[in-house]
Amino acid sequence: MMSPRVRATGVAALAILLATITGCSSQILRIYPMQKQQTVAVGKSVVLTCQAETPDPALVTQPQWKDPKGYVINEAAPGTRPEIYTEAMPTKQSQLLYISSITPAMAGNYTCVATYTNMPLSASVVLDTFVAITWVNANENQFATKGRDFKIMCEVTAEPAPSVDWFKEGTTIVTSDRYVIHANGLLIKNVQESDDGTYTCRAVVIQTGELAERNIKLEVYTAPEMEEREPRVEIKEGESAAITCKARGKPPPTYTWIKANTRENLATTSRYSVNENTGLLTIDRVEAGDYGKYICSAVNQAGQNETEIEVEVLVPPKIFELYNTTAAEKTDGRLECKATGRPAPRMSFRKQSNSEPFVNGPNDGGRIIVETSSRQTGDQMQSTAVITISRLNRTDDGLYECFAENEGGQARKNGHLTVQFKPTFEHMSNVPIWSWNGQPVNISCIAESIPNATIKWKFHEYDLTESPHVKIYGSGPISYVTVIPVDRSLYGIYKCIATNTLGEAEHTIQLREAFPPGPVLQVKQETITATSVSFNIIGPAEDMGPPTLAFTAQYKENGNFDWNLAMNRTWSVNSPYIVENLMPMYTYDFRFAAVNQVGAGLWGAPITVIMPRRSPPEQPKWREAISSESLIHGKFADRYELQWKIPAHNGEPIDMYEVSYCPVLKVSGEWRVASDSQCVVEELRSYEAISYEVTGLRPDTRYRIQVRAHNVLGYSLPAQLYVQTALGVERSGFAPPQLMSSGTIVGVALAGVFMCLIIVDLLLFCFRRQGVVATLCGKRAKKHKEDEAKLGRDEKEPLKDTGDDTIKRNSSVEFDGRRVYATSGGTIIGKNSAV
């Protein structure tokens, strides 16, 4: 027998020989991938293919895979997918090995076996495993809180173990005072907002050459920081209010509101609503009890903060108590006013008849005192104001306004202080009451008092009793007595006696019999013109009757002895007593009488007035009272408006007015014309003219302006005034002066010759009564004499009554020479009428 060693050597030699034979004949199994040793990361999937390479594939049995323990790996059952299984491909004489997720336990030598013509074939591959870089705890978004230490977590696993580096936005981070690199992350000390950004965690396995990076975005959160705001908020009762609360923080905080005294979360309380994202607190229908402290809290992932807000509810004042009061004169009076509101209303009093309120404290020298006070009542404040008036007098009676005011609004209420006093007749007049010819009269009595007085009447110190001619109406505080004095015994003193709880007063009224006025005491002639005359009349004494209401006059020609044919003129008392439309150079008789309610008195003694002859008009009078020597400052720089009254024409109608104005200077206190050549004369051909606007004046220049009236007999004396025009810009031309044309020169020469002829003619008229002017004046004088003759005949005719004389006119107040303008309030109006 062969020894075991020889037998083993022989087997080995046979195996080598078979292998050599097989290799030569290309009968092998090939595993893909073809690396004899493969390293696979744990968790990866692996596919190995075993394929027979022989000359005749039909002679090869289907290959099989065996695991490292030598067990055949079976194919997967239909519908299953185990961790490791095989799958045959008969057409290609191949067998696939699937490992879905390799683990370290699956590492080892995997063998593929088959037979070829009963010759065994096999091939094997060694699978090794390693752990790849794995991010165990490395979230890509991480959040830190400002002011605290924070570790950016980046925990990496691998086998072999990896090395880890850190970068911030491309810049390498090394361990320092603020950064500490740990195995599982990067520690940042005292995180600030500047630490916000993107960090890179890089892992490297040197043995495998594996490299991996993880970008981690770090967002730095900041705890809420309350924005500054007013610590106190005012809201109004009954309205809707919104209170804001703002905090800065990252991420944006959410808000809650709590009422401090009740610790209520206002988000769940009626009438309150809270927007947790904006911090807005809304209160519907604000009530007085909503005042107090409110806490606004802001919270985010970084922390929490809160602020306290004082809420004041403004409740408008409401006056709930103010009673009318009554006190007697010379005692003390008091009004008390109470009001509620929030904050405490400020109170004051004002008498309705005064524009300003009383001040708190003493008024009127301490006679009137106003006191105020406040106190808490429930959710509101109550204020009280008291006004006390010492030593009341009647003027203290009236309405007093209580005024309450705070930031929410104001309220007013009136209270009446009634001052009682005994009866008085201080507003009753002592004028006698007149009656005549049995005319009924009313004697009235009005007693002022609080409370109202009762009235009784006495006559001749006896109680007045009613009779057919005496009737009493009313017993107070107003009473009337109607008397029909058919008998003189009913004239006399009537006494009204008023009585109330505080005292008594009496008032006497005299009923007197009235008579017509006495004769006029004196009449003086004042102003006389050719056609009018004015008088000064002194009336009779009024002790025998009612006051004089008017004066009446009769006037006639002196040669007419029948007063029944005289003209009448009546004036109200104190109006201008003027008779007009008289004839020049005539003699008139005038007589006067006074008129009262009873009638006209006796005529006074006649007076005779001789009218002057015709003459130029009277001097015009300015509408306004202007001194002829004073200087008037005009409103305009280039014009001035004149206004005058139409003067008396003195027998001949006014046919025009002459207006002249000259620049003047004041030298040694006297006015002098600056230059006669600068004087301007203008004529107004109108009798009715009463105004004229002087134009073309120079600015800032003084002028003398005169107005004269003219009739056929000549000019009146001038009405004169001095005017200074206002400042202004005088017009000036800028065109160069032009030389006169030849035609202009001829015209000037002819005008000079004409002026010379006029001057010669005037000299002949003055010295010899010859020439053209003398001839014209002779004709005019002749015609004037004829007119005088005719006028003489006309003036000797009796005065005739005109239709207008019977028309009643108002009493005179202004006479301008032709008309009388009147506004009399008397009962008798002016009239001209024939008796």
Side-chain angles (χ1 to χ4, degrees):
M1 291 183 64
M2 297 175 66
S3 64
R5 184 171 182 180
V6 173
R7 196 166 44 250
T9 302
V11 172
L14 180 60
I16 292 172
L17 178 61
L18 290 174
T20 302
I21 293 171
T22 303
C24 293
S25 60
S26 299
Q27 298 169 354
I28 61 172
L29 294 177
R30 193 178 297 277
I31 297 176
Y32 295 95
M34 294 189 298
Q35 292 90 343
K36 292 295 183 180
Q37 185 170 352
Q38 299 183 29
T39 303
V40 182
V42 172
K44 293 291 185 179
S45 296
V46 179
V47 177
L48 298 176
T49 303
C50 178
Q51 184 173 341
E53 295 182 3
T54 61
D56 186 1
L59 300 177
V60 180
T61 61
Q62 185 66 30
Q64 288 184 327
W65 280 98
K66 295 182 179 180
D67 62 19
K69 295 181 179 181
Y71 296 109
V72 175
I73 302 173
N74 298 319
E75 293 183 6
T80 64
R81 189 177 288 273
E83 291 182 352
I84 183 170
Y85 62 93
T86 59
E87 183 177 304
M89 296 182 66
T91 58
K92 294 184 178 182
Q93 295 296 313
S94 299
Q95 186 80 7
L96 279 66
L97 172 64
Y98 289 94
I99 302 176
S100 58
S101 177
I102 195 168
T103 63
M106 295 178 182
N109 187 20
Y110 287 81
T111 305
C112 176
V113 296
T115 61
Y116 180 72
T117 61
N118 297 322
M119 182 183 297
L121 300 177
S122 71
S124 63
V125 63
V126 176
L127 292 181
D128 288 332
T129 61
F130 70 94
V131 178
I133 295 175
T134 303
W135 309 104
V136 178
N137 183 10
N139 291 334
E140 293 180 340
N141 292 286
Q142 300 188 33
F143 306 94
T145 301
K146 179 182 175 182
R148 301 179 184 175
D149 294 350
F150 181 76
K151 180 187 288 187
I152 303 175
M153 299 303 297
C154 182
E155 189 174 347
V156 185
T157 61
E159 190 177 326
S163 61
V164 179
D165 298 319
W166 284 90
F167 303 88
K168 182 183 180 185
E169 296 169 355
T171 302
T172 304
I173 297 175
V174 297
T175 298
S176 62
D177 293 339
R178 295 198 65 238
Y179 298 106
V180 178
I181 298 176
H182 291 177
N184 60 346
L186 174 65
L187 176 65
I188 304 176
K189 298 180 179 179
N190 190 21
V191 171
Q192 301 299 316
E193 292 182 51
S194 59
D195 293 324
D196 197 288
T198 301
Y199 292 78
T200 302
C201 174
R202 187 178 70 182
V204 177
V205 179
I206 298 174
Q207 293 84 343
T208 62
E210 188 178 11
L211 170 67
E213 292 183 348
R214 172 62 63 95
N215 289 328
I216 301 173
K217 181 175 177 56
L218 178 65
E219 193 171 349
V220 177
Y221 284 173
T222 57
E225 183 178 343
M226 308 305 293
E227 293 184 359
E228 291 187 4
R229 54 158 297 140
E230 291 294 329
R232 188 172 183 272
V233 174
E234 292 180 349
I235 57 179
K236 286 189 176 182
E237 182 188 37
E239 298 181 357
S240 293
I243 307 173
T244 58
C245 175
K246 288 289 185 181
R248 295 181 296 271
K250 187 177 180 183
T254 57
Y255 300 87
T256 57
W257 281 88
I258 296 173
K259 193 169 184 183
N261 60 343
T262 61
R263 306 308 298 178
E264 294 176 277
N265 185 341
L266 300 181
T268 60
T269 305
S270 62
R271 294 190 304 105
Y272 293 85
S273 62
V274 177
N275 189 321
E276 65 176 10
N277 295 320
T278 63
L280 181 67
L281 170 65
T282 303
I283 308 175
D284 292 331
R285 304 181 308 281
V286 173
E287 298 177 356
D290 292 334
Y291 76 94
K293 293 182 179 179
Y294 289 72
I295 298 172
C296 171
S297 177
V299 179
N300 65 5
Q301 289 90 327
Q304 180 264 349
N305 203 345
E306 65 183 31
T307 184
E308 191 174 77
I309 298 173
E310 181 75 25
V311 174
E312 178 62 58
V313 176
L314 302 180
V315 181
K318 181 178 180 181
I319 298 174
F320 67 92
E321 183 179 311
L322 178 59
Y323 300 121
N324 298 335
T325 186
T326 301
E329 190 176 17
K330 296 181 181 180
T331 63
D332 293 346
R334 184 176 183 272
L335 284 170
E336 183 175 11
C337 179
K338 295 181 180 180
T340 58
R342 186 171 188 89
R346 299 178 292 277
M347 309 284 287
S348 62
F349 272 103
R350 179 180 71 88
K351 197 170 190 290
Q352 284 282 27
S353 57
N354 298 335
S355 58
E356 297 296 325
F358 297 107
V359 299
N360 285 343
N363 295 265
D364 191 17
R367 192 178 72 88
I368 301 174
I369 297 176
V370 178
E371 298 174 306
T372 60
S373 61
S374 299
R375 64 186 181 88
Q376 180 85 29
T377 57
D379 294 328
Q380 298 189 39
M381 301 293 293
Q382 177 178 306
S383 296
T384 303
V386 178
I387 181 170
T388 304
I389 305 175
S390 304
R391 305 181 303 281
L392 285 171
N393 54 56
R394 290 178 56 188
T395 60
D396 295 323
D397 188 289
L399 286 174
Y400 287 79
E401 180 186 63
C402 174
F403 181 71
E405 179 183 28
N406 66 8
E407 288 74 8
Q410 53 185 234
R412 303 170 188 266
K413 190 173 183 180
N414 292 331
H416 194 276
L417 172 61
T418 302
V419 178
Q420 295 180 330
F421 58 96
K422 67 179 184 179
T424 177
F425 295 100
E426 60 185 41
H427 293 105
M428 291 282 295
S429 66
N430 293 315
V431 178
I433 296 176
W434 301 92
S435 179
W436 62 94
N437 299 330
Q439 291 184 358
V441 294
N442 283 332
I443 304 174
S444 62
C445 179
I446 302 176
E448 298 178 57
S449 67
I450 299 177
N452 288 335
T454 57
I455 292 176
K456 66 179 181 178
W457 290 88
K458 287 192 174 184
F459 181 60
H460 295 312
E461 299 302 326
Y462 294 99
D463 291 342
L464 181 65
T465 58
E466 291 189 341
S467 68
H469 305 298
V470 177
K471 298 293 182 181
I472 301 174
Y473 300 95
S475 59
I478 301 175
S479 182
Y480 299 91
V481 174
T482 300
V483 180
I484 304 175
V486 295
D487 189 342
R488 287 191 173 179
S489 64
L490 295 177
Y491 291 103
I493 302 299
Y494 288 80
K495 184 179 293 185
C496 168
I497 301 173
T499 306
N500 71 359
T501 56
L502 299 178
E504 180 180 280
E506 61 181 38
H507 179 68
T508 59
I509 303 168
Q510 188 176 16
L511 176 61
R512 298 180 59 182
E513 185 176 6
F515 300 95
V520 172
L521 296 181
Q522 184 180 19
V523 177
K524 288 185 179 181
Q525 172 188 321
E526 284 192 331
T527 303
I528 186 169
T529 71
T531 58
S532 66
V533 61
S534 65
F535 299 95
N536 180 19
I537 303 175
I538 299 177
E542 297 179 351
D543 54 349
M544 294 301 293
T548 301
L549 301 177
F551 293 105
T552 186
Q554 287 185 330
Y555 58 97
K556 62 182 180 60
E557 292 182 37
N558 182 254
N560 184 1
F561 297 100
D562 189 359
W563 284 99
N564 291 326
L565 300 177
M567 301 290 291
N568 277 357
R569 183 76 171 91
T570 301
W571 306 275
S572 296
V573 174
N574 297 325
S575 63
Y577 309 127
I578 302 173
V579 179
E580 53 189 343
N581 295 326
L582 303 177
M583 300 297 294
M585 300 173 56
Y586 272 54
T587 301
Y588 289 94
D589 293 330
F590 292 85
R591 65 178 183 177
F592 300 86
V595 180
N596 64 11
Q597 288 177 321
V598 181
L602 298 176
W603 293 106
I607 63 172
T608 301
V609 178
I610 301 175
M611 306 302 294
R613 64 179 297 151
R614 292 180 178 85
S615 63
E618 292 295 310
Q619 181 184 24
K621 302 293 183 183
W622 302 116
R623 281 283 176 187
E624 298 180 359
I626 301 174
S627 172
S628 62
E629 295 297 320
S630 62
L631 180 64
I632 300 171
H633 292 274
K635 298 180 180 179
F636 305 101
D638 59 348
R639 62 190 185 276
Y640 185 80
E641 185 177 13
L642 302 171
Q643 291 184 336
W644 63 86
K645 305 173 186 177
I646 298 177
H649 56 73
N650 284 338
E652 291 291 340
I654 296 173
D655 54 12
M656 74 168 187
Y657 292 93
E658 178 190 81
V659 178
S660 63
Y661 50 95
C662 303
V664 295
L665 301 172
K666 201 164 192 178
V667 181
S668 301
E670 296 183 357
W671 292 105
R672 295 184 182 178
V673 175
S675 174
D676 291 336
S677 62
Q678 297 181 5
C679 292
V680 178
V681 179
E682 299 181 4
E683 294 182 352
L684 306 179
R685 297 283 178 176
S686 173
Y687 161 74
E688 298 292 340
I690 57 173
S691 65
Y692 179 73
E693 186 175 60
V694 180
T695 60
L697 304 180
R698 295 200 304 266
D700 196 22
T701 304
R702 297 179 178 182
Y703 287 88
R704 183 195 68 195
I705 304 178
Q706 295 180 339
V707 175
R708 296 193 299 172
H710 180 271
N711 62 13
V712 296
L713 301 179
Y715 286 99
S716 68
L717 293 175
Q720 176 177 285
L721 55 81
Y722 293 91
V723 175
Q724 178 169 337
T725 55
L727 295 175
V729 179
E730 187 174 3
R731 296 178 180 176
S732 60
F734 295 96
Q738 298 180 353
L739 297 176
M740 291 187 296
S741 65
S742 58
T744 305
I745 295 173
V746 171
V748 172
L750 290 175
V753 172
F754 183 71
M755 290 297 297
C756 291
L757 291 174
I758 292 176
I759 293 172
V760 171
D761 190 74
L762 290 174
L763 291 174
L764 289 172
F765 171 73
C766 293
F767 293 101
R768 297 196 177 188
R769 300 294 176 182
Q770 296 177 351
V772 177
V773 176
T775 303
L776 295 174
C777 290
K779 292 181 178 180
R780 174 68 180 132
K782 182 178 179 181
K783 183 178 180 182
H784 183 67
K785 289 179 180 178
E786 293 175 354
D787 294 341
E788 287 285 350
K790 293 179 181 179
L791 184 60
R793 291 193 300 271
D794 295 340
E795 288 177 349
K796 292 178 183 179
E797 295 180 2
L799 293 173
K800 296 181 179 179
D801 188 11
T802 63
D804 294 340
D805 292 337
T806 60
I807 300 176
K808 293 184 179 181
R809 301 195 299 267
N810 287 339
S811 301
S812 305
V813 295
E814 184 179 289
F815 174 65
D816 61 9
R818 292 201 55 179
R819 286 181 175 81
V820 178
Y821 303 94
T823 55
S824 172
T827 57
I828 299 178
I829 61 174
K831 60 182 179 180
N832 284 337
S833 62
V835 178

